[in-house]
């Protein structure tokens, strides 16, 4: 069985540990968000592709929620002592090696998708990890400075890490998306998949940029009968991350129904948590099949159960 999954960040990583148990090796293709990618100290940092690789390669720091387990931050501390302007973004010492390897590869003309393949191979990841595009694509957040009320236009990482996600969000845009092309293999994986899974990732800043790459949303709509998603919103709040601060800017209600409605154009089935059981009829009225179970993925066994339920909903 061939499966293509769309995602990025912690929600995806946790779930993919379970999905990869059911769909071993390169029968699983993960199409990953690159809108969070950022240049730090001249290095190309790809947080979501790295998260997925570190999760599947069992190297992720689950406690911190980003970066490599057991990492140290001596280089970042030293950069802070220099007063380096980018030192608000912490790069672990081991993680730095990933960014150096990626940046030199890109400078030598190797596409991001190929560098990502090499990084995934180093971590023994069998699944194919594909950045959605090799082209520039950046998530920008327009917001109001919480202190002054001034309008700000920020890179996602400036909004979230540098300023702590406290500024009221006005709008979200995926810069350069309209000029980007799907990376080699993305549309092919979507066309060949027996199942397409939308991970429980942030719809605004993880799934949104993926869908903004021309051709990707259309590919999902064309395969609607094979598309299942898992809600990352449980009981009206995100299980992880900041979706509650961003979804209202897209006009999306922060609930399992709100996100299902946002995806309905390409969604055949939707997995929700048992705490949201009452929402099932409203989702079914949109023509979307619903699976209800405990979706809190405390460990890989739970993640596998959620993945199994999602695939079963497609029949
Ligand atoms: N998140 C933070 O809250 N603070 C950081 O300093 C930080 C550094 C960082 C470095 C590499 C990386 O891959 C991720 C990093 N993150 C950090 C997480 C990241 O900002 C976001 O959580 C993701 O982009 C959202 O998916």
């Amino acid at each position: 069985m061939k499966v293509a999954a769309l995602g990025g960040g912690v929600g995806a990583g946790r779930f993919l540990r379970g999905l990869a148990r059911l769909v071993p090796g390169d029968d699983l293709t993960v199409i990953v968000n690159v809108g969070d990618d950022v240049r730090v100290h001249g290095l190309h940092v790809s947080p979501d592709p790295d998260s997925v690789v570190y999760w599947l390669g069992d190297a992720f720091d689950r406690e911190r929620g980003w970066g490599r387990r057991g990492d140290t931050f001596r280089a970042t501390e030293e950069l802070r002592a220099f007063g380096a302007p980018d030192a608000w973004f912490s790069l672990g010492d081991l993680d730095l090696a990933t960014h150096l390897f990626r940046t030199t590869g890109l400078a030598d003309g190797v596409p991001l998708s190929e560098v990502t393949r090499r990084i995934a191979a180093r971590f023994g990841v069998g699944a194919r990890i594909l950045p959605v595009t090799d082209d520039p694509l950046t998530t920008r957040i327009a917001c109001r400075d919480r202190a002054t009320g001034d309008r700000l236009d920020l890179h996602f990482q400036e909004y979230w890490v540098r300023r702590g996600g406290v500024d009221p969000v006005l709008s979200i845009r995926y810069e350069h998306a309209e000029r980007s092309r799907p990376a080699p293999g993305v549309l092919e994986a979507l066309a060949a998949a027996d199942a397409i899974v939308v991970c429980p990732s942030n719809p605004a800043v993880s799934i949104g940029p993926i869908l903004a790459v021309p051709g990707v949303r259309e590919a999902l709509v064309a395969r609607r009968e094979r598309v299942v998603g898992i809600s990352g919103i449980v009981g009206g709040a995100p299980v992880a991350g900041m979706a509650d601060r961003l979804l209202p800017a897209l006009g999306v209600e922060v609930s399992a129904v709100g996100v299902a409605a946002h995806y309905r154009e390409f969604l055949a089935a939707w997995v929700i948590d048992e705490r949201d059981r009452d929402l099932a009829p409203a989702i079914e009225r949109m023509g979307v099949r619903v699976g209800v179970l405990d979706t809190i993925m405390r460990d890989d066994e739970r993640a596998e159960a959620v993945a199994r339920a999602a695939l079963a909903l497609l029949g």
Side-chain angles (χ1 to χ4, degrees):
M1 183 188 205
K2 289 198 179 301
V3 174
L6 275 60
V10 171
R14 214 178 257 147
F15 169 74
L16 289 166
R17 299 265 319 163
L19 185 61
R21 287 176 163 206
L22 301 177
V23 187
D26 65 1
D27 279 349
L28 173 61
T29 299
V30 188
I31 299 167
V32 190
N33 169 44
V34 294
D36 297 5
D37 283 25
V38 62
R39 239 183 150 73
V40 182
H41 313 298
L43 301 177
H44 185 118
V45 180
S46 288
D48 277 3
D50 287 350
S51 284
V52 169
V53 168
Y54 293 164
W55 271 99
L56 290 178
D58 200 19
F60 190 77
D61 192 314
R62 293 185 183 219
E63 306 251 301
R64 197 188 310 113
W66 51 271
R68 280 187 65 174
R69 189 168 63 240
D71 215 341
T72 49
F73 289 85
R74 298 187 62 195
T76 290
E77 284 159 20
E78 193 61 16
L79 284 157
R80 285 197 181 122
F82 280 125
D86 291 350
W88 53 269
F89 200 75
S90 302
L91 297 179
D93 299 324
L94 293 174
D95 195 33
L96 259 174
T98 305
H99 312 313
L100 286 163
F101 181 75
R102 175 187 298 110
T103 307
T104 48
L106 293 171
D108 288 345
V110 183
L112 184 63
S113 49
E114 172 56 21
V115 186
T116 306
R117 191 193 64 74
R118 295 178 193 174
I119 294 170
R122 176 265 177 263
F123 286 92
V125 174
R128 242 171 16 128
I129 314 299
L130 279 181
V132 62
T133 179
D134 285 334
D135 299 324
L137 193 177
T138 305
T139 299
R140 307 256 344 157
I141 310 287
C143 52
R144 292 236 170 259
D145 184 319
R146 190 173 73 153
T148 66
D150 290 348
R151 199 187 153 94
L152 303 172
D153 177 23
L154 305 174
H155 186 289
F156 167 74
Q157 301 293 356
E158 289 179 300
Y159 160 78
W160 178 241
V161 176
R162 189 174 201 171
R163 299 180 59 87
V166 296
D167 305 294
V169 176
L170 300 170
S171 62
I172 302 166
R173 73 178 199 283
Y174 312 118
E175 193 173 57
H176 305 312
E178 66 290 347
R179 274 187 268 148
S180 69
R181 293 153 301 173
V186 167
L187 296 183
E188 293 81 351
L190 292 173
D194 300 298
I196 299 172
V197 184
V198 182
C199 292
S201 298
N202 189 318
V205 295
S206 290
I207 304 299
I210 296 176
L211 299 174
V213 174
V216 174
R217 174 184 282 273
E218 294 78 355
L220 261 72
V221 171
R223 308 273 344 265
R224 182 177 185 273
E225 275 318 305
R226 305 311 303 163
V227 183
V228 58
I230 297 95
S231 179
I233 306 286
V234 172
V239 178
M242 73 308 282
D244 50 335
R245 303 176 214 193
L246 299 172
L247 286 176
L250 298 182
V252 177
E253 183 188 284
V254 185
S255 74
V257 188
V259 179
H262 184 56
Y263 291 161
R264 66 196 289 178
E265 190 190 7
F266 53 77
L267 206 60
W270 189 231
V271 176
I272 63 173
D273 191 77
E274 52 199 14
R275 275 173 277 174
D276 290 326
R277 182 179 297 278
D278 294 353
L279 303 179
I283 299 166
E284 280 161 354
R285 278 196 293 276
M286 295 179 216
V288 176
R289 283 195 294 285
V290 179
V292 183
L293 73 156
D294 174 8
T295 61
I296 304 301
M297 293 176 265
R298 295 164 202 90
D299 50 36
D300 294 347
E301 283 67 37
R302 272 320 301 164
E304 184 181 335
V306 174
R308 181 171 282 116
L311 297 179
L313 267 180
L314 292 176

